[in-house]
Amino acid sequence: LRVLRLNLQDCAAVQLRVLMPRGSASTASPPSAWFCPQPPSRPQGMKLRLAVDGSGGGIKALMSWEQVRAPRHAEELGAVACAVHHDFDRGNGPCATRFQVRLRMEGQIWEELQPQLLPRPRKDAIQQREAESYEWSFHDSRLATLGQLEVQTRHGNAILWSSWSESSRLSVGLEAPRPVGALLLEEVTPYCVSLCWPPFAASVQLPLGE
């Protein structure tokens, strides 16, 4: 196996040849054609919104995006490289199996979260052959900070990462609840007083997360 690398991390191409032992010596087949793994397509149509976490009652960010399947092209790889390509393909090599998210507040430095395995595609989009839709939610302290939150994501397979998606921006931060109506005094006595007020109105209405 011979690997061509652009640096210590990125694999650019792979080439194979077969060794056949014969007694104390061995003979080698001619090297195969170079097999060049390709990165998966980058996420498309990413959307971001705030939602209420139904389990904990807190605020979470819910993001959704699509993975467009890249068309396959027949290549003249040779017998050995064709077998390698088939094995890479069978192991979901060209397709995305993981994703990574990075986020920042407007004007700040990107923070990359740890890569994770792709969630299961949405059930209502499994039948689509050209794209698969995904949803993922996360909690972050920046969701309570007033400002613009910018989020990007990318896909990865066993070897390579795609480029980052286009940014999705969301206005985050919760203002204090606003009092509605007047404060009422009830049961006033020389020693105590009872206060009564209507419910406070939330500064923003959030949908209940799934």
Side-chain angles (χ1 to χ4, degrees):
L1 174 66
R2 184 161 58 177
V3 179
L4 176 64
R5 294 184 182 275
L6 298 177
N7 51 49
L8 295 179
Q9 295 181 348
D10 296 331
C11 174
V14 178
Q15 189 182 54
L16 282 183
R17 64 177 181 174
V18 179
L19 297 178
M20 295 169 287
R22 292 185 177 179
S24 59
S26 61
T27 59
S29 69
S32 69
W34 285 102
F35 167 56
C36 302
Q38 298 297 319
S41 58
R42 75 171 187 164
Q44 302 288 336
M46 195 178 73
K47 298 178 181 179
L48 187 66
R49 62 182 177 90
L50 290 177
V52 176
D53 191 345
S55 57
I59 303 299
K60 67 179 181 180
L62 182 64
M63 51 185 293
S64 60
W65 71 94
E66 292 184 346
Q67 177 195 7
V68 179
R69 295 184 178 274
R72 300 175 180 266
H73 302 284
E75 299 178 357
E76 295 294 334
L77 299 175
V80 177
C82 184
V84 178
H85 186 277
H86 173 71
D87 185 68
F88 184 70
D89 185 29
R90 185 176 55 186
N92 294 324
C95 301
T97 56
R98 52 188 178 145
F99 74 104
Q100 186 178 24
V101 173
R102 67 178 183 178
L103 62 161
R104 66 178 178 181
M105 297 301 291
E106 187 176 13
Q108 297 183 2
I109 300 175
W110 287 107
E111 177 186 348
E112 296 183 1
L113 305 183
Q114 288 294 326
Q116 301 190 47
L117 293 177
L118 270 176
R120 292 183 178 274
R122 290 174 49 189
K123 294 182 179 180
D124 58 349
I126 288 182
Q127 302 299 327
Q128 297 182 12
R129 295 184 178 180
E130 297 181 355
E132 291 181 335
S133 298
Y134 299 95
E135 281 188 349
W136 184 71
S137 62
F138 64 92
H139 298 84
D140 193 274
S141 59
R142 279 164 287 208
L143 297 178
T145 304
L146 286 174
Q148 285 282 330
L149 180 66
E150 185 177 2
V151 180
Q152 294 180 347
T153 185
R154 63 177 178 174
H155 286 152
N157 54 31
I159 300 178
L160 301 173
W161 284 102
S162 72
S163 58
W164 290 100
S165 68
E166 295 183 357
S167 296
S168 181
R169 294 176 175 83
L170 180 67
S171 296
V172 295
L174 298 179
E175 299 176 358
R178 301 186 304 270
V180 177
L183 184 67
L184 302 178
L185 301 179
E186 296 182 352
E187 300 181 6
V188 180
T189 69
Y191 303 100
C192 67
V193 61
S194 296
L195 302 180
C196 179
W197 62 88
F200 280 72
S203 59
V204 59
Q205 298 294 329
L206 300 178
L208 183 64
E210 298 177 355

